[in-house]
């Protein structure tokens, strides 16, 4: 492997094209197809540039057909790119596959790396030999995985008899058995109940914290992204639309923020735009200049819509509370799904 200070994954102008055969209509068309085929080229991944630093947990998201799985397959050495450069853990994945696969872990939510008809324990023994994990390291790390993921009662059960949640926990242990520096997770919580999801999220956080494991997470469940990742890469039609922090994504794309406040004393009248008839006269000039809209629920409860990203929630609350005692507050954030939808629809960042 290369210098650990270098990126653990670096893709430059990564592109993957597929050929599609187009059938001509009718019997005559079918006959002509026997001799000549019409071919079209489909670009599934289009000039992707991506860098992962050691220890990052990155969400890689996009709609069906965006190119996520194709990208993951190139990064894991399953597919060869049409063009571009890619290095993962110091390897070119498709050229040095045998050595390379021992440095990564992969979980595909709908495909198993365990042997279907043998006990879970036997699958792990086979994987130990495939990954060439020394016995002492295997016993120590395997014991930790079994304990944390609660697998002790599953060891002697054939994989085909496991429930989906049980199998996904076993799949995670299989992917991390050799303690790889980089793990690809493709829909690891698909079809799982809330309890199992929470358990898997806690486990991934622990692995990242203890071992510095880099995780690239592909999922349609945005709650997984919010719970695990600080950075998000959004892909659509094979191109990266956004690559940055989750907090920055919310700030730049969520638009207006809503603050719900319950005052300690009645505030009967707050006129647009935040000039308050019930406030002392010396407060009106300052508050009246704020970019805020008010909505009244009752004399104690109001909602404030902050229409300017430069006004922070904390500054706004401090200013209002200095004139009116506030009993309770809650910030209503824009759902991540709405933020992503805005990007897909070709919107602009707030304030752009």
């Amino acid at each position: 492997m290369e210098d650990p200070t270098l990126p653990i994954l670096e893709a430059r102008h990564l592109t993957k094209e597929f050929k599609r055969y187009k059938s001509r209509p009718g019997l005559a068309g079918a006959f002509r197809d026997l001799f000549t085929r019409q071919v079209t080229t489909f670009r599934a991944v289009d000039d992707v540039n991506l860098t992962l630093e050691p220890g990052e947990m990155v969400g890689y998201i996009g709609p069906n057909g965006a190119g996520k799985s194709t990208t993951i397959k190139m990064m894991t050495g399953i597919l060869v790119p049409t063009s571009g450069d890619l290095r993962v853990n110091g390897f070119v994945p498709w050229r040095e596959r045998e050595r390379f696969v021992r440095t990564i872990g992969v979980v595909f939510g709908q495909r198993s790396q365990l042997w279907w008809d043998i006990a879970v324990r036997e699958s792990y023994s086979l994987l130990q030999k495939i990954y060439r994990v020394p016995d002492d390291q295997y016993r120590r790390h395997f014991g930790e995985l079994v304990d944390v993921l609660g697998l002790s009662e599953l060891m002697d059960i054939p994989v085909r008899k496991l429930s989906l949640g049980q199998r996904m926990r076993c799949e995670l242990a299989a992917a991390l058995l050799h303690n790889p520096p980089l793990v690809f997770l493709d829909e690891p919580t698909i079809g799982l109940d809330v309890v199992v999801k929470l358990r898997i999220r806690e486990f991934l956080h622990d692995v990242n914290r203890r071992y510095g494991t880099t995780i690239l997470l592909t999922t349609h469940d945005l709650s997984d992204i919010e719970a695990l990742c600080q950075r998000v890469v959004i892909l659509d039609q094979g191109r990266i639309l956004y690559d940055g922090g989750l907090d920055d994504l919310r700030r730049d794309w969520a638009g207006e923020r809503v603050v719900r406040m319950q005052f300690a004393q009645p505030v009967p009248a707050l006129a647009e735009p935040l000039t308050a008839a019930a406030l002392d006269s010396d407060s009106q000039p300052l508050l009246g200049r704020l970019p805020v809209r008010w909505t009244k629920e009752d004399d104690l409860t109001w909602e404030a819509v902050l229409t300017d990203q430069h006004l922070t929630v904390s500054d706004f609350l401090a200013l209002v509370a200095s004139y009116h005692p506030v009993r309770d507050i809650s910030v209503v954030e824009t759902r991540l799904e709405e933020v992503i939808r805005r990007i897909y629809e070709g919107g602009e960042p707030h304030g752009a």
Side-chain angles (χ1 to χ4, degrees), residues 305-326:
V305 178
L306 280 61
T307 58
D308 188 337
Q309 295 296 319
H310 294 94
L311 175 62
T312 66
V313 173
S314 58
D315 288 345
F316 168 72
L317 291 174
L319 180 60
V320 173
S322 67
Y323 295 108
H324 283 282
V326 178

Side-chain angles (χ1 to χ4, degrees), residues 122 151 225 284:
E122 300 305 319
L151 304 180
I225 301 293
Q284 289 187 45

Side-chain angles (χ1 to χ4, degrees), residues 172-202:
L172 278 172
L176 294 162
L177 195 64
H178 52 303
N179 199 16
L182 173 62
V183 177
F184 297 92
L185 302 178
D186 190 4
E187 300 285 357
T189 62
I190 187 170
L192 303 185
D193 61 52
V194 174
V195 174
V196 176
K197 281 187 180 183
L198 292 175
R199 191 169 190 172
I200 287 177
R201 289 172 188 170
E202 292 172 359

